Amino acid sequence: AKVVASQNHRYFMLGPMNGSTWFAYRFSLTKQTPFFMETIHKPYYVNLWETCGFRAKESYQTNIEEFNANTPSPDVKAYLSKNQLTIRKFNKGSAINELKILHSFCVQLFAENVLFSPISEEEFIDLYQPILPYLDENIIEFVQDEDKVVGLFFTVKNHYNPEQVIVKTVARNPDSKYKGLA
């Protein structure tokens, strides 16, 4: 848990955090089947937090979308060409280096997010190294401006339901040059 003091010296505890948003700090308010890589909590978890006086401070929504292969999509090649950008796949053969690149991009990009806390490169690699065998390099893409990563499409197969792919992160550098990238 993380304790934060307000200006009038009243104390508030934020939980379940483990001190960082990089670890299991969320819980589900629904009883839906979790997705692969989500923390699995016991059914009484939400009631326990509410009984102890906690309430949700921030929330997010998970959606299941079905895509139609016939739906027209934007002209990605034209956008990339116009902005002199390239796309490359995640390279599992150089996974540790790829995690270092991901770390650098993510800590810069997410620094302004609610409850963000920094994580060292070593901690980041330790956190993601166990999932490397489950990653499919064909569905993880880096968008690059020369050698600099400016966009990320990070997805993973839902190993609890093989017909689904989980979009974990779609992110881009906030510079106006990359507007429309996502």
Side-chain angles (χ1 to χ4, degrees), residues 4 8 17 22 43-44 51 54 67 88 102 104 142 162 179:
V4 181
N8 63 5
M17 283 204 48
W22 291 100
Y44 65 85
T51 301
F54 287 90
F67 291 94
R88 72 169 181 83
L102 268 173
S104 177
F142 293 101
K179 183 178 181 181

Side-chain angles (χ1 to χ4, degrees), residues 20-25 103 106-107 110 116-119 124 127-128:
S20 174
T21 57
W22 291 100
F23 302 98
Y25 68 99
H103 170 263
C106 290
V107 296
F110 302 145
F116 173 83
S117 51
I119 186 172
F124 185 88
L127 184 64
Y128 284 93

